[in-house]
Amino acid sequence: MPDTPHHSPAEPTRSARSTASPPPPPPPGGTRPKPPTAPPTPTPTTPTITPTNPTAPTTPHPRYLTLFRIPEFRAVFLAHLCSLLGTVVSEIALTVLVFALTGSPFLSALAFALGLLPYLLGGTLLAGLADRYPARRVLVGCDLVCAACVAVMALPVTPVAGLLALRVVLALVAPVFAGTRMATLGDILGDGDAFVLGRSLLRIVSQTALLGGYGVGGLLLVLVPPRGALLVTLATFLGSATLLRLGTRRRPARARTAAGGLVRDSLSGVRAVLALRGPRLALLLFWLPPAFAVVPEGLAAPYAASLGVSGAGLGLLLAAISAGMITGELLAGTLLTPAARARLALPLAALGTLPLALCLLRPGYLPLLALLFVTGASAAYTLGLDRWFVDSVPVELRGRAMTVQTAGLMTAQGLGTALAGAVAERLDPHLVVAGAGLLGTVCCLPLALAARRARRVPDARGPKDETGLTTI
């Protein structure tokens, strides 16, 4: 059927014009009445950012369990479990394998440290991958690269130098994968509270892996040799790639144009993110509190020895902060509204390490566990900060921003642990931990105040929408 021509209400058709009654004459001494005017054109409004997944939650206050109703999120969550298990098993297996081949504690420790040191390099030089190519292709590609590296590690002919070099490749890929996955959550869940809870769930799983994953990996090495354990890692990376390939939708790349080569594009993206005041402050708040809060974990062995504790007691010291982080995030995500989480974000970020200052009083073992638990629970500030961060970063830079955030976090924790260890060569562990608590507060409090001021003055180069911290 041919299209019906459209006519404006103010312009009747010819047939309508011929049959219409003539306008009434003007009243005596009056004027002809004005013809009816067209209704005013509605003012266009700025479109809101909505998830590209039609099954994303639309309730104003989603919960953790409602996220699992979304098939794509289930795929990302299960893939995260697979890759996390593979990473934990490979770290233990590679450390044990290098020690078995060389008998060198230094090379064995180096095999573990190489999983952290290249994070900053990969997070800056390769960050452009997260926005330059479709997210699903990047995620699956990263998993396949990791699987290929682990497959070569498992070969009996691979020398120690080759094992260490492949370990570096795994660490270079890790921040790109993590940043792309976090940015993909925004595509799946949207930019609201569902995204915040989704990121929180992935962090909770990661912390849970720290509590139990290494024990599972150690048990696996009792049953199979190190190279056999690496085959388990190979299977987990392939499983993750399969879940992401089949369980998520193909979406176009976020950055429509690429500024030259990959390294140039990555560095220009990092500079663009850091040039925006809001994201820059948010990144510093993501990095600095954990850099100080990790100090007790780095000094757990000498601190436990100073208290006359070993074995299981040392394990509880190592687990206390992670247990606090899991508890804090679960309670904040379950019991608090988004507005309440936003109000608590900056106070928790600013004062979260302050309980460690009480170590100056040389508390006993149980009070020390409580202080570490409370310090870990303050990490719930990230739920409020996540919303601000994702709202303040332009969409075309989001993948690179998430990659930089991941790389900076790992680097900050590594530097914090190393510096604390160096200071502990001359001071007692309780003094170093207390100093980290005080110094953390001194550094983070001005940042939190600056962030509070920044949310009142939107960055001219960034998005104009309200941030998650507007209720503070």
Side-chain angles (χ1 to χ4, degrees):
M1 183 171 59
D3 293 337
T4 305
H6 175 74
H7 302 281
S8 170
E11 294 289 337
T13 63
R14 181 179 300 273
S15 59
R17 190 182 295 118
S18 61
T19 58
S21 301
T31 59
R32 186 183 299 276
K34 295 181 180 180
T37 58
T41 304
T43 303
T45 58
T46 303
T48 57
I49 300 175
T50 57
T52 58
N53 184 357
T55 61
T58 56
T59 56
H61 301 300
R63 301 295 182 184
Y64 283 121
L65 292 180
T66 62
L67 302 181
F68 290 100
R69 300 175 186 171
I70 306 169
E72 281 192 283
F73 179 77
R74 290 199 300 268
V76 171
F77 183 83
L78 292 175
H80 178 60
L81 286 178
C82 286
S83 61
L84 188 62
L85 175 62
T87 300
V88 170
V89 171
S90 66
E91 287 176 350
I92 300 174
L94 187 60
T95 301
V96 173
L97 178 60
V98 169
F99 185 74
L101 293 174
T102 65
S104 169
F106 169 73
L107 289 177
S108 178
L110 182 62
F112 187 86
L114 286 177
L116 301 176
L117 296 178
Y119 252 81
L120 183 60
L121 193 63
T124 53
L125 300 184
L126 303 179
L129 289 170
D131 294 316
R132 191 183 181 105
Y133 301 103
R136 187 176 69 178
R137 186 188 306 173
V138 174
L139 293 173
V140 173
C142 288
D143 269 333
L144 293 179
V145 168
C146 293
C149 290
V150 173
V152 177
M153 287 180 176
L155 296 176
V157 296
T158 305
V160 173
L163 293 174
L164 297 179
L166 291 169
R167 180 68 169 133
V168 171
V169 176
L170 291 176
L172 289 173
V173 170
V176 178
F177 180 85
T180 306
R181 181 184 59 210
M182 291 303 181
T184 301
L185 281 184
D187 299 330
I188 296 173
L189 301 176
D191 299 332
D193 198 44
F195 169 80
V196 173
L197 295 182
R199 284 202 67 179
S200 174
L201 265 180
L202 297 189
R203 282 195 299 263
I204 289 170
V205 170
S206 298
Q207 291 300 322
T208 304
L210 291 179
L211 291 177
Y214 289 113
V216 173
L219 179 61
L220 181 63
L221 288 176
V222 174
L223 303 175
V224 297
R227 293 192 192 272
L230 288 174
L231 293 178
V232 174
T233 297
L234 171 62
T236 62
F237 283 132
L238 292 177
S240 174
T242 303
L243 284 167
L244 292 171
R245 176 62 181 83
L246 301 179
T248 60
R249 294 169 49 196
R250 187 188 185 280
R251 294 176 173 87
R254 293 179 185 84
R256 300 299 181 185
T257 58
L262 173 60
V263 173
R264 180 181 175 186
D265 184 31
S266 300
L267 293 177
S268 65
V270 171
R271 285 194 296 268
V273 171
L274 296 178
L276 297 171
R277 189 174 184 228
R280 184 172 65 248
L281 289 171
L283 285 172
L284 290 174
L285 287 171
F286 275 124
W287 296 340
L288 281 184
F292 294 101
V294 77
V295 168
E297 293 183 346
L299 300 180
Y303 204 147
S306 70
L307 295 174
V309 175
S310 61
L314 172 59
L316 288 177
L317 279 181
L318 286 168
I321 288 183
S322 293
M325 293 176 68
I326 295 171
T327 305
E329 288 220 28
L330 280 175
L331 292 178
T334 303
L335 302 180
L336 300 181
T337 64
R341 292 196 293 267
R343 283 193 294 269
L344 288 174
L346 294 183
L348 287 177
L351 305 175
T353 63
L354 191 57
L356 297 179
L358 295 176
C359 290
L360 280 173
L361 305 178
R362 304 197 70 154
Y365 179 69
L366 292 180
L368 176 61
L369 285 179
L371 291 177
L372 298 181
F373 183 87
V374 171
T375 300
S378 69
Y381 81 90
T382 54
L383 277 80
L385 195 60
D386 276 336
R387 179 66 183 272
W388 183 34
F389 187 52
V390 74
D391 284 346
S392 62
V393 175
V395 174
E396 65 273 12
L397 294 174
R398 190 168 294 170
R400 280 165 283 188
M402 297 294 183
T403 302
V404 170
Q405 189 261 331
T406 302
L409 176 61
M410 299 298 292
T411 303
Q413 289 180 312
L415 289 175
T417 302
L419 291 175
V423 176
E425 290 288 332
R426 296 183 175 274
L427 297 177
D428 290 338
H430 76 280
L431 294 177
V432 180
V433 172
L438 289 172
L439 187 59
T441 303
V442 169
C443 293
C444 295
L445 184 57
L447 267 180
L449 294 176
R452 187 174 186 271
R453 292 191 296 269
R455 55 96 177 175
R456 297 197 186 104
V457 184
D459 198 311
R461 294 164 291 183
K464 305 295 184 183
D465 297 334
E466 290 188 348
T467 68
L469 303 180
T470 53
T471 55
I472 296 177

